Amino acid sequence: MTQLYKLSDNYQKAVFELSAMLESGDIDSDTMTDTLEGVQGELLDKCINTGLHIKNLRSDLTQLESVKKEFEARIKSVKSSLEFFERYLDTNMQASKIPTVSNDYVQIKYKKLPDIVECLEAPAEFSIVVPETSKPDKKKIKDALVSGSELSFAKMIINRTKLDIK
């Protein structure tokens, strides 16, 4: 099947060539009209088919956007349930002092996380200058805390764990 742009080019060439032939008297106006109708027929069919394809794509897009909204709502619901059950399990395992539990299908245990620094407001010597802003240099602050420095603006959070379910 011929592409629309090729049919359009052929039609434009035919109009140009037939107009020149009509002006030179090589053909009459009825011959020109009949010839253009023949060339134009395939072009019009291709235009209609392309238009129908566009309508189908628009319909597909509308349906996909609708399904996308439904999936986004479902994703939000599942994330909310997941967060609830993770907190629920974590809270109850900690309250019962259960560090690990497993069977053939699941292994649940606490995993040690790296220590982090929590800063309220760091002085300039413990900050990184970013154009227009300043933020605490947590690596420098952590190094200072680990080496025994007392910093009133920061504390080391240690023995962090994360519930790991595999």
Side-chain angles (χ1 to χ4, degrees), residues 53-130:
H53 184 63
I54 290 168
K55 283 183 72 174
N56 283 335
L57 289 173
R58 285 181 180 158
S59 174
D60 289 349
L61 181 61
T62 301
Q63 291 173 356
L64 289 170
E65 286 174 342
S66 173
V67 171
K68 177 183 173 190
K69 288 176 186 172
E70 292 172 14
F71 273 110
E72 286 172 346
R74 179 74 176 124
I75 288 168
K76 184 178 178 183
S77 172
V78 169
K79 280 182 178 179
S80 176
S81 292
L82 177 63
E83 289 169 3
F84 168 80
F85 281 106
E86 284 176 339
R87 278 191 315 272
Y88 176 71
L89 179 62
D90 181 37
T91 301
N92 287 287
M93 283 183 67
Q94 283 189 23
S96 302
K97 298 191 182 339
I98 299 172
T100 183
V101 63
S102 65
N103 67 12
D104 292 341
Y105 305 106
V106 66
Q107 179 183 13
I108 305 166
K109 64 180 180 178
Y110 284 95
K111 174 169 100 172
K112 177 93 169 97
L113 297 176
D115 298 338
I116 62 170
V117 172
E118 183 179 280
C119 294
L120 302 174
E121 177 129 2
E125 70 181 278
F126 286 101
S127 296
I128 301 171
V129 177
V130 178

Side-chain angles (χ1 to χ4, degrees), residues 2-56:
T2 308
Q3 290 94 347
L4 180 59
Y5 76 91
K6 288 182 180 177
L7 293 172
S8 179
D9 285 347
N10 291 343
Y11 180 75
Q12 292 171 31
K13 287 177 187 172
V15 168
F16 178 75
E17 291 170 1
L18 290 171
S19 294
M21 292 171 74
L22 181 65
E23 286 179 21
S24 68
D26 293 341
I27 60 169
D28 59 29
S29 63
D30 290 337
T31 305
M32 180 178 169
T33 303
D34 290 343
T35 306
L36 284 178
E37 284 177 2
V39 173
Q40 188 181 40
E42 193 177 356
L43 174 62
L44 295 177
D45 288 344
K46 190 66 167 187
C47 287
I48 287 171
N49 288 335
T50 303
L52 290 171
H53 184 63
I54 290 168
K55 283 183 72 174
N56 283 335

